[in-house]
Amino acid sequence: MSDRVLLSAVSAGRRWLVAAVLTASVSTAASLLLPATLGRALDAALLHHDRLTVAVVELAVVLAAIAIADVVGQLAGTAGAAGTTAWLRRRMVVGLLAAGLPGQRRFPPGEATSRITTGATAAGRVLPLVLVACTTALSTVVALIALGLIDWTLPVTLLVGLPVTVLVLRPFARGSTKAYTDYQTAQGEIADRLADALAGLRTIRASGTATAEVDRVLGPLDRLRSAGIATWELQKRIAWAFGLLISVLQVAVLAVAGWSVSAGRISPGDLVAAIGYATIVLGAIEQIDALAELAQARAGAGRVAELAADVPVVRRDGELPDGPGEVELRSVSVSIQDRLVLDRCSMTVPAGATYAVVGPSGAGKSTLVGLLGRLVEPDSGEVLIDGCPVSTLDSSALRSAVGYAFERPALVGATVAEAIGYAASSGIESAALAAHADGFIRRLPGGYRTPLVDVPLSGGEQQRIGLARVVAQQARVLVLDDATSSLDTATEAEVTAALAEVLPGRTRLVVAHRAATAAAADRVVWLEKGAIRAIAPHEALWSEPAYRALWS
């Protein structure tokens, strides 16, 4: 899977790939011409003075081509790596946000953050690394051929060290990928534990467990250290082995070439060219840093692939026709993490009706109402709004049709006004009035322009801003997922009446934990163990002891 991610990343950066390939080709060709050009210049200076000017001009052109191609190649490689990293991060964020319900998220926030930052950064460098690998391989082959044209004994001398190189390289390639994966995994665990600790600062302080929490957060530090040391040990061993091997081969090539000069088989210029081509061949063995970075890229790609795999691939472009807002579920089943949450649920909510969804904890209430806006996808069955399957709708069309207010709304935006207008651009103050939020907002230092970071909102105030946001959206179907649980009964009744007045005729599904909320609904959808046990008015269900037990 990691290799597929790397291939996709390379494809995503194909514009820079073309530029990098062209510059790398020029640089490689010029580098391969340099030893021969340098050798001809030396022979011209020593033996053929009439060719010296031409030889010097050729040498200058080759050196200039190498310098310019290297500069442009560095720019293209850096830009390509940045673009590839951005593409990977976007793909990962889309995959992360594709899970609308907490139970569907396979990665905790800290772990996901680590993968998006360190994993994508490592994998994003695949473009320049692939180019280095390709150009190095090509240069090595051409340099060996050039050495053979100078004297057949020279490439044979170098190839003697090939089996030793393979024996040294194989364990490094396997071990370094595992070490980098272990290192990044430990980093992710520390980030995740730190995120948990920051979210629970009040509990930690109240419990007096700060020292124990520090130990828990830094628990993976020993594994992080061990993985880091293992990486450096691998690099140290391979650097020592390759350094010794390269020195031996350099001396061997120099000895063979020197013997050939003394025997009259090659010229002094050929000796210089042979040394240059041998350096190119041995340079392939010296690419330890590139090998280490490639191992990092593969380890990062493995962590990226697991998160990016959640990206939805279904293309939807359907539009929702005008309608009153009728909702229908046809034999819908949902499984989350191999647990059956909803089992063949069917119901029809008439346009303009209010249905309360009730049931014990874990019955599937949030999952059921999440189906309308595709916060969760059904494994089987169909969800329709005004006769149109939501699975065919474009995201913007669906968002304009279904509005959500949650128990703990996430307020997104720089100011209070932006938080209310997150899904709409007008009617912010009237929406706040309907949600009984206008009064406390105007008492804030900056009113609607008060920065959210400066507003210590209570749970009830957050819920009222969340309700104002769904009012401003003006959707035909409203889903209130326990969105008034932090309001007192009187305020809840006032808000409910105001919503009915401001948004008349809207279809509403309300996840209820209060008997009064269920009693105010037209019908109650009673869920039990993922199945719909009954759909009836609250008064009709009250005779059931199990139903009364829900409220006690």
Side-chain angles (χ1 to χ4, degrees):
M1 185 181 292
S2 60
D3 291 335
R4 287 200 300 271
V5 169
L6 291 178
L7 289 173
S8 299
V10 171
S11 176
R14 54 185 172 271
R15 288 185 302 172
W16 291 110
L17 177 62
V18 172
V21 167
L22 290 175
T23 54
S25 300
V26 173
S27 177
T28 301
S31 298
L32 290 169
L33 288 172
L34 180 60
T37 307
L38 187 59
R40 285 197 297 272
L42 180 60
D43 282 343
L46 296 176
L47 305 173
H48 309 289
H49 300 287
D50 57 323
R51 303 176 187 173
L52 183 58
T53 302
V54 175
V56 170
V57 171
E58 289 177 350
L59 182 60
V61 170
V62 170
L63 291 173
I66 292 174
I68 295 172
D70 285 347
V71 171
V72 177
Q74 285 287 340
L75 292 174
T78 302
T84 302
T85 301
W87 180 84
L88 286 170
R89 285 177 174 164
R90 181 177 181 83
R91 183 180 175 94
M92 294 169 75
V93 171
V94 170
L96 184 65
L97 298 182
L101 297 179
Q104 290 183 301
R105 298 171 190 152
R106 298 190 293 121
F107 301 99
E111 171 69 9
T113 301
S114 174
R115 290 175 185 248
I116 291 172
T117 53
T118 60
T121 300
R125 284 194 48 76
V126 66
L127 179 59
L129 292 175
V130 168
L131 281 177
V132 168
C134 293
T135 55
T136 300
L138 178 62
S139 300
T140 302
V141 172
V142 175
L144 283 171
I145 295 173
L147 281 173
L149 294 176
I150 295 172
D151 192 320
W152 68 269
T153 60
L154 298 175
V156 172
T157 303
L158 286 176
L159 289 174
V160 169
L162 183 60
V164 180
T165 303
V166 173
L167 288 175
V168 173
L169 186 60
R170 286 186 63 187
F172 172 79
R174 290 195 301 265
S176 57
T177 300
K178 181 181 183 303
Y180 283 123
T181 300
D182 293 343
Y183 189 87
Q184 292 178 13
T185 300
Q187 276 187 321
E189 289 185 22
I190 292 175
D192 184 49
R193 295 183 184 192
L194 179 60
D196 288 342
L198 293 176
L201 284 177
R202 289 196 303 174
T203 302
I204 293 170
R205 185 168 183 178
S207 304
T209 56
T211 302
E213 192 62 22
V214 169
D215 293 338
R216 186 187 73 85
V217 170
L218 299 181
L221 204 57
D222 287 339
R223 287 192 287 113
L224 186 73
R225 176 178 177 274
S226 298
I229 291 176
T231 301
W232 286 111
E233 287 291 336
L234 284 166
Q235 291 190 32
K236 181 180 71 174
R237 288 200 297 270
I238 196 173
W240 177 85
F242 278 179
L244 179 60
L245 178 63
I246 289 169
S247 299
V248 170
L249 291 175
Q250 282 176 332
V251 171
V253 170
L254 188 59
V256 172
W259 176 81
S260 297
V261 171
S262 64
R265 298 172 59 180
I266 62 175
S267 68
D270 290 335
L271 172 63
V272 172
I275 294 173
Y277 286 122
T279 302
I280 292 175
V281 175
L282 295 174
I285 303 177
E286 289 181 317
Q287 295 294 327
I288 301 172
D289 292 339
L291 291 173
E293 289 187 25
L294 189 57
Q296 281 183 318
R298 292 194 77 248
R303 291 165 60 76
V304 167
E306 294 180 358
L307 190 54
D310 289 337
V311 177
V313 295
V314 178
R315 296 184 61 86
R316 303 179 176 94
D317 53 9
E319 294 293 332
L320 185 64
D322 292 336
E326 180 185 78
V327 172
E328 184 180 1
L329 273 64
R330 296 177 180 173
S331 191
V332 174
S333 295
V334 177
S335 295
I336 297 178
Q337 296 180 349
D338 298 326
R339 182 176 71 90
L340 186 62
V341 180
L342 293 178
D343 184 13
R344 292 170 293 178
C345 294
S346 297
M347 69 176 189
T348 299
V349 182
T354 299
Y355 274 41
V357 182
V358 306
S361 178
K365 300 183 294 295
S366 293
T367 302
L368 186 141
V369 296
L371 289 165
L372 276 64
R374 281 208 319 263
L375 305 186
V376 58
E377 299 286 354
D379 296 306
S380 62
E382 200 170 30
V383 182
L384 303 96
I385 296 177
D386 290 323
C388 184
V390 298
S391 59
T392 65
L393 296 179
D394 173 76
S395 294
S396 59
L398 186 59
R399 297 295 165 256
S400 64
V402 183
Y404 280 91
F406 299 103
E407 178 185 7
R408 297 180 181 85
L411 304 182
V412 183
T415 64
V416 174
E418 289 182 12
I420 295 174
Y422 183 64
S425 58
S426 60
I428 292 174
E429 293 188 14
S430 59
L433 279 169
H436 283 235
D438 180 74
F440 76 80
I441 291 174
R442 293 191 181 279
R443 289 193 295 270
L444 295 174
Y448 283 87
R449 296 183 179 180
T450 304
L452 280 174
V453 294
D454 298 335
V455 183
L457 297 174
S458 67
E461 289 168 340
Q462 288 183 4
Q463 286 192 341
R464 278 182 273 179
I465 290 179
L467 288 166
R469 181 170 61 194
V470 77
V471 171
Q473 189 177 346
Q474 294 287 316
R476 71 178 75 174
V477 178
L478 305 181
V479 179
L480 309 182
D481 190 351
D482 209 17
T484 58
S485 59
S486 295
L487 306 181
D488 59 74
T489 305
T491 303
E492 180 186 12
E494 292 173 356
V495 169
T496 301
L499 290 178
E501 182 179 348
V502 174
L503 300 174
R506 266 41 173 207
T507 305
R508 280 184 283 177
L509 274 79
V510 183
V511 175
H513 289 88
R514 291 176 178 171
T517 305
D522 299 313
R523 292 286 189 278
V524 173
V525 181
W526 180 9
L527 285 176
E528 190 172 80
K529 296 180 180 180
I532 296 177
R533 178 166 174 174
I535 300 178
H538 174 74
E539 295 79 6
L541 296 174
W542 193 253
S543 59
E544 294 276 353
Y547 182 77
R548 291 197 305 271
L550 292 175
W551 315 110
S552 60

